[in-house]
């Protein structure tokens, strides 16, 4: 049942191009418009939404952090993303015009379920983004957009994460489409580019051997840091989470702009630091700032592991290890940038003799608060 792979996680990493394609299937029509009628929230209601709140845990929360950037950019509706376990304990401000999005692979996560129940009690509408048909979270929501990752068996989430991103992009673009925004042309372009993204993920998977070799060479390290900005920041957090749960290493993700406010004190000789570099074409200011960050940490002895778009030459002089990813629209980059981090964590876990599919102390679905 592992399809020839040693671990479910490896199989599930390899299934990501298909999972992404399946989650797009039937949701883009021949004229390049999104058709999300299945969500069954009338366009008139979506036009009235004045705030979006995303609740989720762990990896799904990282997808939610990226979704926030996409929703705010393409719809101009204020959006916040909150850890489901924190949400209802702070008396959040919700009403009939709030759209709450609950993201959950299993559909059974108790923290997320309690958050959505609280939201509905306050009159908010809840849309579930979920991978498990008929599970509790979609049953208790007003609407659901299913991710089509197929069953995810490994405890560490991989293909579910990529499909959560795809589903969230679809929601963001659909909201933009229904409401009409100044980004109409960009929305059309991005919908087209989404159709190519499965092939891009496939290309990343074909180039992972150096990443595996690098991971093995770091098996006796204690700490790995991850830096990113904008959509690269949640990717950094996700890379660190994967490493904690699988390799049992100390791993921290930081927003690169925060370096000088504290974390740079951690940099020491030969400390591996993974840096997710934004596209030089999109937000080029951010790109240039990250390149300076890489210079700064390298000057202090860090071993820099740089994930950068193909053709981005500015990073070359400062990268001890360079991992190339295909060029994508800025907001879609996490779909390709996360994959090397999954492979990295999986290989490090194997090199350290850990049980990849069943990390210690963790359960696949967390049904207690
Ligand atoms: C990390 C991981 C967890 C889950 C989290 C939420 O690899 O798998 O962090 O993402 O427990 O689970 P779901 O998505 O089922 O609500």
């Amino acid at each position: 049942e592992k399809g020839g792979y040693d671990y479910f996680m490896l199989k599930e990493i390899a299934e990501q191009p298909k999972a992404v394609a399946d989650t797009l299937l039937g949701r883009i029509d021949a004229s390049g418009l999104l058709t999300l009628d299945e969500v069954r929230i009338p366009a008139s209601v979506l036009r009235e939404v004045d705030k979006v709140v995303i609740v989720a845990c762990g990896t799904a929360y990282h997808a939610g952090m990226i979704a926030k950037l996409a929703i705010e950019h393409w719809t101009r509706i204020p959006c916040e993303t909150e850890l489901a376990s924190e949400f209802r304990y702070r008396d959040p401000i919700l009403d009939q015009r709030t759209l709450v999005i609950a993201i959950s692979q299993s559909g059974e996560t108790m923290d997320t379920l309690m958050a959505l129940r609280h939201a509905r009690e306050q009159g908010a509408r809840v849309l579930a983004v979920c991978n498990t048909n008929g599970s509790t979270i979609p049953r208790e929501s007003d609407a659901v957009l299913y991710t089509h990752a197929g069953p995810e068996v490994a405890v560490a989430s991989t293909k579910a994460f990529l499909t959560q991103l795809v589903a969230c992009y679809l929601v963001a673009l659909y909201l933009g489409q229904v409401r009409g925004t100044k980004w109409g042309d960009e929305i059309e372009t991005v919908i087209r580019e989404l159709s190519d993204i499965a092939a891009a993920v496939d290309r990343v998977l074909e180039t992972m051997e150096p990443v595996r070799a690098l991971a093995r060479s770091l098996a006796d390290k204690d700490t790995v840091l991850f830096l990113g900005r904008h959509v690269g920041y949640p990717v950094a957090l996700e890379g660190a989470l994967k490493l904690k749960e699988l390799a049992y290493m100390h791993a921290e993700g930081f927003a690169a702009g925060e370096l000088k406010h504290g974390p740079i004190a951690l940099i020491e000789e030969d400390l591996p630091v993974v840096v997710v570099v934004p596209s030089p074409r999109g937000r080029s200011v951010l790109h240039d700032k990250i390149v300076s960050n890489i210079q700064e940490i390298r000057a202090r002895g860090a071993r820099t592991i740089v994930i950068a778009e193909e053709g981005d030459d500015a990073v070359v002089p400062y990268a001890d290890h360079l991992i190339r990813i295909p060029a994508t629209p800025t907001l879609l980059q996490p779909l390709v940038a996360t994959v090397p981090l999954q492979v990295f964590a999986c290989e490090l876990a194997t090199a350290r003799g850990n049980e990849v599919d069943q990390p210690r102390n963790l359960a696949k679905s967390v049904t207690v608060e």
Side-chain angles (χ1 to χ4, degrees):
E1 57 195 79
K2 290 180 196 150
Y5 292 92
D6 289 344
Y7 307 107
F8 279 107
M9 187 178 176
L10 288 171
K11 173 171 177 264
E12 290 163 5
I13 288 173
E15 284 169 349
Q16 292 184 112
K18 181 176 183 323
V20 164
D22 287 350
T23 300
L24 289 169
L25 201 68
R27 290 169 172 167
I28 303 174
D29 73 14
S31 61
L33 286 175
L34 293 177
T35 50
L36 292 191
D37 300 343
E38 63 188 292
V39 165
R40 286 180 290 109
I41 301 183
S44 56
V45 171
L46 293 178
R47 279 189 210 104
E48 292 299 307
V49 169
D50 65 1
K51 177 170 148 187
V52 179
V53 176
I54 302 174
V55 290
C57 303
T59 289
Y61 172 71
H62 298 151
M65 289 177 76
I66 295 162
K68 170 198 156 78
L69 299 175
I71 288 170
E72 290 199 336
H73 176 72
W74 285 320
T75 73
R76 309 311 296 158
I77 308 171
C79 175
E80 55 192 77
T81 299
E82 180 134 4
L83 290 167
S85 55
E86 291 289 324
F87 184 65
R88 69 191 174 114
Y89 300 102
R90 64 161 176 103
D91 197 10
I93 302 164
L94 303 160
D95 61 28
Q96 289 78 357
R97 295 180 67 182
T98 312
L99 176 67
V100 171
I101 303 177
I103 310 174
S104 175
Q105 188 287 128
S106 62
E108 302 296 347
T109 300
M110 188 55 74
D111 290 309
T112 310
L113 180 61
M114 296 313 262
L116 86 81
R117 281 187 186 156
H118 182 79
R120 290 194 75 196
E121 278 163 18
Q122 311 299 307
R125 240 168 248 264
V126 178
L127 167 65
V129 168
C130 184
N131 196 47
T132 312
N133 254 300
S135 54
T136 311
I137 286 171
R139 271 195 281 117
E140 292 206 16
S141 297
D142 296 283
V144 54
L145 185 63
Y146 279 109
T147 50
H148 294 155
E152 192 179 65
V153 178
V155 165
S157 188
T158 53
K159 61 177 181 170
F161 176 70
L162 259 62
T163 61
Q164 284 161 354
L165 289 177
V166 169
C168 289
Y169 293 134
L170 290 176
V171 171
L173 293 163
Y174 185 66
L175 277 170
Q177 181 181 293
V178 166
R179 298 163 64 100
T181 68
K182 64 172 178 166
W183 300 114
D185 290 347
E186 184 180 314
I187 287 175
E188 280 178 32
T189 312
V190 172
I191 293 173
R192 269 199 306 280
E193 303 233 13
L194 262 176
S195 310
D196 299 330
I197 211 82
V201 175
D202 209 26
R203 286 218 301 288
V204 177
L205 288 171
E206 281 166 13
T207 58
M208 287 298 95
E209 199 40 55
V211 174
R212 281 190 279 269
L214 171 65
R216 288 191 293 272
S217 77
L218 299 175
D220 59 354
K221 292 282 179 192
D222 299 319
T223 297
V224 180
L225 302 183
F226 296 76
L227 299 175
R229 275 187 96 130
H230 189 249
V231 290
Y233 172 42
V235 171
L237 294 178
E238 174 62 6
L241 179 62
K242 288 280 105 77
L243 207 58
K244 285 176 193 139
E245 63 180 330
L246 292 162
Y248 317 149
M249 290 166 85
H250 172 228
E252 290 285 331
F254 298 109
E258 278 293 293
L259 259 184
K260 56 187 174 300
H261 300 293
I264 198 161
L266 291 170
I267 305 295
E268 56 187 20
E269 198 58 35
D270 214 34
L271 177 78
V273 184
V274 179
V275 188
V276 184
V277 179
S279 161
R281 296 162 300 116
R283 283 170 178 61
S284 53
V285 185
L286 283 191
H287 172 268
D288 298 351
K289 289 191 168 158
I290 286 239
V291 175
S292 314
N293 291 144
I294 303 173
Q295 278 175 265
E296 283 157 13
I297 58 173
R298 198 159 184 267
R300 288 163 179 79
R303 167 127 58 122
T304 57
I305 302 165
V306 176
I307 302 182
E309 200 175 281
E310 282 155 8
D312 179 353
D313 294 331
V315 297
V316 174
Y318 315 111
D320 294 311
H321 306 272
L322 184 54
I323 302 170
R324 288 296 191 187
I325 51 174
T328 61
T330 303
L331 282 160
L332 303 189
Q333 195 201 47
L335 289 170
V336 289
T338 306
V339 175
L341 302 181
Q342 300 167 339
V343 171
F344 182 71
C346 186
E347 190 71 21
L348 252 164
T350 312
R352 287 163 72 96
N354 298 352
E355 176 51 66
V356 170
D357 287 335
Q358 289 286 342
R360 67 185 183 198
N361 309 341
L362 292 173
K364 181 66 182 163
S365 84
V366 185
T367 54
V368 290
E369 255 193 296

